[in-house]
Amino acid sequence: MVSNKKRLYIALYPSGVARNDERKYHWGFLTGPKIEDEEEVPGTRYHVKNHPIQGWVYEERHVTNVQSTVTLLARILIAKIEDERRLVASFRNTPVVQADPNWRCRAWVRAVLASIKRDGRAVGTSNLSWAEIEPLARDYVAKKAESGRYGVSQIENMNQPKPTWDMLEDKEIVP
């Protein structure tokens, strides 16, 4: 029997603070099906965002297409989901820090990865190492930017699937 477990991705978006390498990207998670052979592939986005009045807030939102959410730069496949309920509990229960002015979305992503790893049952085959994920993701998006993937000439491709790297098989699955 072929497994059809949902997938967990790290998602990178532009943060609007391009002058600061550490804060260059907004980090979050996407979940979606293993098979992505339809034009629109529904899934869910999980992230924290800095709201002007409320400060940092957790958000989970259904998306119509995990391959190409608004402003998505790239996805990094990091895990096969075993127990989605446990995974979502890790997202929801990871603290959102208000008191530290240097705390950002990437700190939350790193904390979620540690929570998933501690749980041990939310995902199966996976790479949850922030020390490996962060540099790979940054390098991947930088190379795509250098190649012109996000340039003005690519506007007609805005709704096309975004670049996706599979850390489980160490290969690009969407250029």
Side-chain angles (χ1 to χ4, degrees), residues 85-120:
R85 182 187 57 78
R86 293 181 81 88
L87 179 64
V88 172
S90 287
F91 295 140
R92 291 175 179 167
N93 295 327
T94 298
V96 176
V97 176
Q98 303 295 341
D100 180 353
N102 294 314
W103 190 87
R104 298 287 179 264
C105 56
R106 63 190 284 281
W108 179 81
V109 166
R110 186 176 57 240
V112 168
L113 291 170
S115 173
I116 295 168
K117 194 173 199 173
R118 275 191 311 277
D119 172 83

Side-chain angles (χ1 to χ4, degrees), residues 23-142:
R23 296 180 183 176
K24 189 172 190 172
Y25 304 112
H26 175 72
W27 299 78
F29 293 95
L30 290 167
T31 61
K34 173 184 179 179
I35 308 297
E36 295 186 337
D37 56 3
E38 300 295 322
E39 195 168 306
E40 287 190 349
V41 181
T44 308
R45 177 178 49 220
Y46 304 88
H47 68 132
V48 294
K49 61 183 184 177
N50 197 357
H51 189 275
I53 296 174
Q54 300 168 320
W56 288 98
V57 294
Y58 167 75
E59 179 180 81
E60 61 185 70
R61 176 163 288 163
H62 173 78
V63 294
T64 57
N65 191 355
V66 295
Q67 295 178 318
S68 185
T69 64
V70 175
T71 72
L72 177 67
L73 295 171
R75 300 181 300 164
I76 310 298
L77 174 60
I78 61 166
K80 297 178 182 179
I81 300 170
E82 289 288 332
D83 186 333
E84 191 168 13
R85 182 187 57 78
R86 293 181 81 88
L87 179 64
V88 172
S90 287
F91 295 140
R92 291 175 179 167
N93 295 327
T94 298
V96 176
V97 176
Q98 303 295 341
D100 180 353
N102 294 314
W103 190 87
R104 298 287 179 264
C105 56
R106 63 190 284 281
W108 179 81
V109 166
R110 186 176 57 240
V112 168
L113 291 170
S115 173
I116 295 168
K117 194 173 199 173
R118 275 191 311 277
D119 172 83
R121 295 189 290 177
V123 299
T125 304
S126 62
N127 183 335
L128 303 175
S129 169
W130 180 251
E132 294 177 35
I133 292 169
E134 183 183 30
L136 181 139
R138 287 180 182 280
D139 186 55
Y140 184 61
V141 171

